[in-house]
Amino acid sequence: MELKFYIESGIIESFVLGLATEEEVEELQHMRRLYPELDTEVEFVERRLERAAFDEPAMPPVEIRERVLQKIRWEEGHGHSDPSSNYTFINIQPKDGNHILVHRWWKIFFIIFFIMSKVFLFLAIFYYLKYRMSQEQQRSDNLHQMIRQEQTQSPLL
Amino acid sequence: MLIERLVIGDSAAKELLYDRYAGALYNITLQLVPVKERANEVVVKVFHWSFLHIGTFRTSGHRTLFTWLLRKTREFAIKEALPETALTGTELMKQEEGILQQFYLILPADQQQVFRLSYFKGLSITTIARLLALPEAQINEILKEAMKSFRQFLKKTWN
């Protein structure tokens, strides 16, 4: 009798529509454990609501189905390859023979190559200037030495 | 069984789920979000969500996939719903045809108001009580009466 009163209170309908509070949901789940026949009643209510909704379905536009299914196909394509998948692969590569397709590692290689070439260029200029300076220094040292030698020889003359 | 196939990620089962429930859910979505573009978004989101969370169906307390999906549909629809002032009137074509609208229209005025704010707008009892300047206990009682009426409505029409 108490269970009948509980069912007739509309608690199941409230749960099914998502209007029951957390406490009410907990209570209902507790009652379902105590009285398994409540499960049948929940199923009755859900089936009634399902029948009511199915009585007047309104199909969403076709593109909505496509969007939903596209997601499934995309997941499949990234999870495991399915030969039955009806994906259409569109090749957007120009066919004029002027373009080539390379691996993405080439991009990193070219960046490193570019940086290294700049470093070597800098070092080359640096050592060239250093070499030039040392040559100048040596030439001026030689010149000084020659002048000094001339100066030491001239008093004797 | 469909649920088991969905749990293992069977794509044919996912298509079947869509084909079986999209129409009924879309009908209810249009009652909650009378703007077609937004209703479309809700349907897409519900199915994407269901494919990811099918594992939670068994612990949800629901016995049918339809009501499990319906619950989520309402959640997404409430998020997508426009304020009534933003509606032009031309989008409301589906509102008086659906099951929930049919039920809503047979309720007495006080239950109509509370049910509309609770189910269609997703407001909590506390917020409804504040809006209508009534005690929470009274709002609770009104909603319970509405749920009893809903039980009778379902039993009478689709038993």
Side-chain angles (χ1 to χ4, degrees):
Chain A
M1 195 63 186
E2 200 179 292
L3 188 65
K4 192 172 184 290
F5 180 76
Y6 183 70
I7 292 169
E8 291 301 324
S9 73
I11 182 67
I12 296 172
E13 285 73 10
S14 182
F15 164 74
V16 168
L17 289 181
L19 296 181
T21 61
E22 274 181 36
E23 294 78 35
E24 286 171 338
V25 173
E26 268 178 39
E27 189 193 49
L28 177 64
Q29 303 301 50
H30 176 70
M31 291 291 277
R32 283 170 81 172
R33 281 191 291 274
L34 289 179
Y35 305 99
E37 58 266 43
L38 265 176
D39 276 344
T40 318
E41 193 56 42
V42 170
E43 192 163 345
F44 277 155
V45 172
E46 293 193 359
R47 295 270 174 227
R48 269 180 216 136
L49 186 56
E50 192 176 323
R51 273 201 299 278
F54 272 80
D55 215 32
E56 44 194 22
M59 280 314 284
V62 184
E63 62 263 25
I64 299 305
R65 187 179 192 275
E66 275 310 301
R67 277 179 64 189
V68 171
L69 299 186
Q70 206 171 28
K71 172 98 174 167
I72 303 171
R73 291 180 198 132
W74 187 86
E75 281 169 356
E76 261 184 10
H78 285 74
H80 54 90
S81 58
D82 181 1
S84 66
S85 169
N86 54 357
Y87 249 126
T88 308
F89 182 76
I90 303 165
N91 188 2
I92 52 168
Q93 182 77 10
K95 285 187 174 178
D96 56 3
N98 293 326
H99 296 83
I100 58 163
L101 199 67
V102 290
H103 195 275
R104 65 173 63 177
W105 283 107
W106 281 100
K107 188 180 165 185
I108 298 162
F109 172 77
F110 278 116
I111 292 168
I112 294 168
F113 180 78
F114 180 76
I115 294 166
M116 292 303 284
S117 67
K118 293 289 168 199
V119 170
F120 285 129
L121 182 67
F122 171 77
L123 289 173
I125 293 167
F126 176 76
Y127 283 110
Y128 172 71
L129 291 173
K130 210 172 171 181
Y131 170 74
R132 281 277 301 270
M133 277 173 70
S134 69
Q135 289 284 322
E136 292 279 328
Q137 186 72 35
Q138 203 176 355
R139 213 176 296 148
S140 73
D141 286 350
N142 290 346
L143 204 63
H144 281 294
Q145 207 174 353
M146 276 172 66
I147 293 166
R148 236 178 282 131
Q149 274 178 353
E150 277 175 17
Q151 280 173 349
T152 48
Q153 282 171 1
S154 59
L156 297 169
L157 291 169
Chain B
M1 213 170 145
L2 183 59
I3 297 158
E4 278 73 30
R5 285 172 60 199
L6 286 166
V7 169
I8 58 165
D10 180 346
S11 53
K14 289 176 184 176
E15 285 193 40
L16 183 61
L17 183 81
Y18 180 88
D19 293 337
R20 189 178 287 179
Y21 297 110
L25 288 173
Y26 192 57
N27 179 285
I28 289 182
T29 310
L30 286 172
Q31 294 170 56
L32 293 159
V33 190
V35 181
K36 266 193 173 176
E37 290 72 29
R38 288 182 180 243
N40 294 348
E41 283 306 307
V42 170
V43 171
V44 172
K45 281 182 186 175
V46 167
F47 281 97
H48 285 174
W49 175 87
S50 70
F51 299 151
L52 285 172
H53 297 91
I54 188 68
T56 64
F57 169 72
R58 293 276 184 222
T59 53
S60 68
H62 287 281
R63 304 282 291 179
T64 65
L65 278 171
F66 173 73
T67 50
W68 179 68
L69 290 167
L70 176 64
R71 199 177 178 147
K72 204 65 198 175
T73 302
R74 179 178 164 257
E75 276 180 44
F76 281 125
I78 287 166
K79 284 181 197 159
E80 283 285 334
L82 283 173
E84 275 172 11
T85 48
L87 299 173
T88 61
T90 51
E91 334 61 358
L92 305 172
M93 68 291 178
K94 209 61 200 160
Q95 276 207 331
E96 287 180 19
E97 296 167 18
I99 172 206
L100 294 168
Q101 291 294 335
Q102 285 173 29
F103 163 67
Y104 168 78
L105 291 171
I106 61 158
L107 288 173
D110 60 337
Q111 290 181 31
Q112 253 188 14
Q113 199 173 30
V114 172
F115 182 72
R116 187 178 70 86
L117 293 172
S118 178
Y119 190 77
F120 291 100
K121 300 288 160 198
L123 302 181
S124 67
I125 298 291
T126 314
T127 314
I128 298 170
R130 209 179 305 140
L131 261 174
L132 303 179
L134 289 169
E136 281 184 37
Q138 193 176 340
I139 300 295
N140 245 324
E141 275 311 306
I142 295 171
L143 193 59
K144 275 183 183 167
E145 284 306 310
M147 287 299 97
K148 280 183 194 170
S149 306
F150 187 57
R151 180 171 176 80
Q152 294 311 317
F153 171 76
L154 279 182
K155 274 176 90 170
K156 207 168 96 184
T157 327
W158 284 278
N159 207 9

mmCIF file of all heavy atoms in Angstrom, chain A residues 91-99:
data_model
loop_
_atom_site.group_PDB
_atom_site.id
_atom_site.type_symbol
_atom_site.label_atom_id
_atom_site.label_comp_id
_atom_site.label_asym_id
_atom_site.label_seq_id
_atom_site.Cartn_x
_atom_site.Cartn_y
_atom_site.Cartn_z
ATOM 1 N N ASN A 91 42.121 14.610 -53.150
ATOM 2 C CA ASN A 91 43.523 14.988 -53.296
ATOM 3 C C ASN A 91 43.600 16.421 -53.813
ATOM 4 O O ASN A 91 43.194 16.724 -54.927
ATOM 5 C CB ASN A 91 44.203 14.024 -54.272
ATOM 6 C CG ASN A 91 45.698 14.249 -54.312
ATOM 7 O OD1 ASN A 91 46.222 15.100 -53.589
ATOM 8 N ND2 ASN A 91 46.382 13.482 -55.144
ATOM 9 N N ILE A 92 44.087 17.317 -52.952
ATOM 10 C CA ILE A 92 44.147 18.719 -53.358
ATOM 11 C C ILE A 92 45.564 19.100 -53.822
ATOM 12 O O ILE A 92 45.904 20.254 -53.949
ATOM 13 C CB ILE A 92 43.677 19.667 -52.231
ATOM 14 C CG1 ILE A 92 44.425 19.370 -50.921
ATOM 15 C CG2 ILE A 92 42.179 19.541 -52.014
ATOM 16 C CD1 ILE A 92 44.237 20.438 -49.873
ATOM 17 N N GLN A 93 46.406 18.086 -54.063
ATOM 18 C CA GLN A 93 47.761 18.312 -54.553
ATOM 19 C C GLN A 93 47.719 18.769 -56.018
ATOM 20 O O GLN A 93 47.092 18.101 -56.845
ATOM 21 C CB GLN A 93 48.534 16.979 -54.446
ATOM 22 C CG GLN A 93 49.972 17.033 -54.863
ATOM 23 C CD GLN A 93 50.833 17.674 -53.796
ATOM 24 O OE1 GLN A 93 50.389 17.897 -52.695
ATOM 25 N NE2 GLN A 93 52.058 18.005 -54.139
ATOM 26 N N PRO A 94 48.363 19.932 -56.362
ATOM 27 C CA PRO A 94 48.359 20.338 -57.770
ATOM 28 C C PRO A 94 49.131 19.344 -58.626
ATOM 29 O O PRO A 94 50.152 18.811 -58.194
ATOM 30 C CB PRO A 94 49.041 21.708 -57.749
ATOM 31 C CG PRO A 94 49.766 21.776 -56.473
ATOM 32 C CD PRO A 94 49.088 20.860 -55.519
ATOM 33 N N LYS A 95 48.645 19.093 -59.831
ATOM 34 C CA LYS A 95 49.279 18.086 -60.684
ATOM 35 C C LYS A 95 50.069 18.740 -61.817
ATOM 36 O O LYS A 95 50.040 18.297 -62.945
ATOM 37 C CB LYS A 95 48.204 17.169 -61.271
ATOM 38 C CG LYS A 95 47.662 16.168 -60.256
ATOM 39 C CD LYS A 95 46.739 15.199 -60.924
ATOM 40 C CE LYS A 95 46.318 14.112 -59.948
ATOM 41 N NZ LYS A 95 45.395 13.183 -60.553
ATOM 42 N N ASP A 96 50.756 19.861 -61.543
ATOM 43 C CA ASP A 96 51.475 20.540 -62.612
ATOM 44 C C ASP A 96 52.938 20.117 -62.693
ATOM 45 O O ASP A 96 53.674 20.586 -63.538
ATOM 46 C CB ASP A 96 51.373 22.058 -62.430
ATOM 47 C CG ASP A 96 51.866 22.497 -61.068
ATOM 48 O OD1 ASP A 96 52.327 21.627 -60.297
ATOM 49 O OD2 ASP A 96 51.814 23.701 -60.759
ATOM 50 N N GLY A 97 53.396 19.254 -61.783
ATOM 51 C CA GLY A 97 54.776 18.774 -61.806
ATOM 52 C C GLY A 97 55.777 19.763 -61.224
ATOM 53 O O GLY A 97 56.977 19.495 -61.173
ATOM 54 N N ASN A 98 55.309 20.908 -60.759
ATOM 55 C CA ASN A 98 56.218 21.901 -60.170
ATOM 56 C C ASN A 98 56.313 21.778 -58.656
ATOM 57 O O ASN A 98 57.074 22.480 -58.017
ATOM 58 C CB ASN A 98 55.734 23.315 -60.517
ATOM 59 C CG ASN A 98 55.852 23.576 -61.994
ATOM 60 O OD1 ASN A 98 56.772 23.086 -62.634
ATOM 61 N ND2 ASN A 98 54.912 24.324 -62.538
ATOM 62 N N HIS A 99 55.479 20.932 -58.087
ATOM 63 C CA HIS A 99 55.471 20.793 -56.629
ATOM 64 C C HIS A 99 55.876 19.383 -56.227
ATOM 65 O O HIS A 99 55.580 18.422 -56.925
ATOM 66 C CB HIS A 99 54.077 21.093 -56.084
ATOM 67 C CG HIS A 99 53.628 22.496 -56.308
ATOM 68 N ND1 HIS A 99 53.075 22.907 -57.497
ATOM 69 C CD2 HIS A 99 53.677 23.586 -55.510
ATOM 70 C CE1 HIS A 99 52.781 24.193 -57.420
ATOM 71 N NE2 HIS A 99 53.136 24.630 -56.222
#
